[in-house]
Amino acid sequence: MTHPFLDLAPLTAAHFAAIEKRVAGLLATEQDVVIMQGEALLPLEGCIRGGARPGSTALNVVTGPYGQTFGNWLRDCGANVVDLAVPFHTAVTADQVARALAEHPEIDFVSLVHAEAATGNTNPVAEIGEVVRSHGALFMLDAVASVGAEPLLPDVWGVDLCVIGAQKAMGGPAGVSAVSVSERAWERIAANPEAPRRSYLSLLDWKERWIDGGRKALLHAPAQLEMLALEACVERIETEGLDALMARHAAAAAATRAGAVALGGLSPYVHEAAEAAPVATTLRAPEGVDASELVARALAADPSLPLIAGGGALSKEMIRVNHYGVDATRGAVRSSLAALGAALADSGRQVDFEAARKAVSQTWPSE
C-alpha cells in the first residue's frame, strides 16, 4: 500500500540545494545559507557554540525568554557574558546597545532576538546592526518569529548569523530551519578550536563537506518530508508575495490591538504599538483575572483558536494571540477576540463585542 507521506523518491542533493537557494532568495542574502535538519534551536545553539569561545566576551540582549536561553549557552561555552535586559513590555534601543558596547569594548559577539513571539515585542535590528558593525563584533540574530512577518535584511543590516524557522509567519514545518552565514562568521568559527566539529551542531561540517564540496553530497539522509514542506511554504510565499505576506501580518497585529482595547478589560502588554511584533499580540488580563484560566475558557468553545497564555511566570497575567501564518486573517482575529470577550463576560467583566468588531473592521477594512 502506498501513502502520500511514505515511499517517496529520494531527495537529491540538487533538489536540496535548490530549496536552499530559494530560502536565500527569501532573505535577499548573498551569504551562504545552511538548511539544518531540526527545529531552529539547532542552528541557534550551533551558532553560539561556534561563534563564542572561552575568554571571549558576549553582549546578550534579553527582551524575552529566548535571550535568557542564549545567555545560558554563552556561559556554557566559557564566554564572559554581559546581559542587556529590558522589560518585556518594550524593545531594546540602539542607544542602549551602543552604551553597553562602549562600557565593554572587549565585546566580540552580540546575540539578539528580532521578534519575541513569547512576549510580543520586536527590536530595531537595522539600527542595532549599524552600531554592532561599527564596533566590529560578530552579530547573531534569531529571526525565527520575524521572517515573513516583517522586513528582514541580514546583508543590509550587517547580520553575520541569521537564523530562521518556518513554523511561524512562513506557515511551514517546525522540524527544519536555516541560517545565513557571513564570510567573517565562517572565519570566526573556523578559528575557534571549541566550535563543534563532526557533530549535529556543527556548521563547519556543512561548510567543509557540503558548501566547499560544491553541494554534491549531503552530510546525511535529509528530513525529506520537512524539506518538501519547506519548499512548499516558500513557494506559497513567492506566490502571495513577501510584501503582501508582511502586510497581512501587520494588519492582523493592528486589528488585534485595536479590537482588544475596544472590547474592554484587556490592554496591550507591549506599551508602544511601534514596538509590538506583527507575528503575535500579547495582552494583559484584567486585575484579578488569571490569564491561563481565561484562555482555557476561551478555548473550550473552539480549541483551534490561536490563543495561549504567557509562559512561566507570565501565565497568570499574559494572553497571546498568535496571528501568524494561516492565522494572520481578519476571521482569526475576530474569532479570537470574540472568544476572549465571552470568557471575560463569563467572569463578570463588562465587554463591548460590537465596539471590538467595529475596531477590527476599521483597522483592517479588507483582505
Side-chain angles (χ1 to χ4, degrees), residues 187-200:
E187 293 171 359
R188 170 75 169 264
I189 296 170
N192 180 7
E194 301 298 323
R197 290 168 170 83
R198 295 170 296 282
S199 163
Y200 208 58

Side-chain angles (χ1 to χ4, degrees), residues 117-140:
T119 48
N121 55 39
T122 192
N123 294 302
V125 181
E127 292 87 347
I128 292 170
E130 186 175 349
V131 169
V132 175
R133 186 166 57 248
S134 178
H135 182 81
L138 204 71
F139 187 17
M140 186 197 86

Side-chain angles (χ1 to χ4, degrees), residues 27-29 31 133 141 152-160 162 180:
L27 295 176
T29 182
Q31 299 175 357
R133 186 166 57 248
L141 183 69
L152 175 61
L153 299 168
D155 291 10
V156 176
W157 297 345
V159 179
D160 294 291
C162 182
S180 65

Side-chain angles (χ1 to χ4, degrees), residues 58-111:
L59 176 64
N60 180 49
V61 181
V62 182
T63 58
Y66 282 103
Q68 295 170 330
T69 297
F70 298 163
N72 293 335
W73 284 340
L74 287 162
R75 291 181 179 89
D76 191 49
C77 291
N80 302 311
V81 181
V82 177
D83 284 322
L84 171 56
V86 300
F88 289 175
H89 63 255
T90 189
V92 71
T93 67
D95 285 344
Q96 288 173 309
V97 172
R99 284 197 295 272
L101 293 172
E103 291 170 4
H104 301 274
E106 71 277 16
I107 287 171
D108 57 11
F109 187 94
V110 175
S111 55

